[in-house]
Amino acid sequence: MLDVRGSLENLAWNTEHHFLHIKAGHPFIRIWAVQFELGYSDFRTIQMALQLAEKMDLLKRFATAYNEVYNYEYAFVKGDIEGFNETYGDKIDDYMTAHKELLAIIEEIKIFQPAIDPTEKNLI
């Protein structure tokens, strides 16, 4: 499988921190939008790697889980915390479940990543 460790780490970080940001009721900030867009790029990179590795079942589960989290995050991007609360305010537990599912699948994908070369110095 293609080495997508950086994308996996970035998407996991975004997923966790965006959930915590929204759960805490914090307002929308510009850096959040940048992270949201970069997270989509990471998703597509991971998706391509899974396709090339012919891991179709894992790809389907990953895409489904990502899309579920994306819907919650998009509601926040589109309407700030007020817009999120209008759409999903009573579904924070569902969002928590969705984000944990995505994180679990990301961990599952990491199993197929090449071993870290200690001389690499975090270049990937």
Side-chain angles (χ1 to χ4, degrees), residues 11-78:
L11 187 57
W13 188 92
N14 278 354
T15 300
E16 181 65 17
H17 285 83
H18 288 181
F19 171 75
L20 294 173
H21 186 95
I22 292 170
K23 183 180 178 191
H26 294 307
F28 181 79
I29 54 176
R30 186 172 184 271
I31 190 66
W32 211 97
V34 172
Q35 293 167 348
F36 179 73
E37 292 296 329
L38 290 174
Y40 181 75
S41 295
D42 289 323
F43 162 71
R44 297 294 289 171
T45 299
I46 298 162
Q47 186 181 42
M48 180 179 60
L50 289 168
Q51 287 173 337
L52 290 172
E54 298 181 3
K55 299 196 176 299
M56 300 314 287
D57 179 60
L58 189 53
L59 170 61
K60 288 175 188 175
R61 291 187 299 112
F62 173 65
T64 299
Y66 174 82
N67 286 328
E68 186 74 21
V69 168
Y70 177 92
N71 289 333
Y72 292 106
E73 291 188 359
Y74 183 77
F76 180 73
V77 169
K78 182 179 173 188

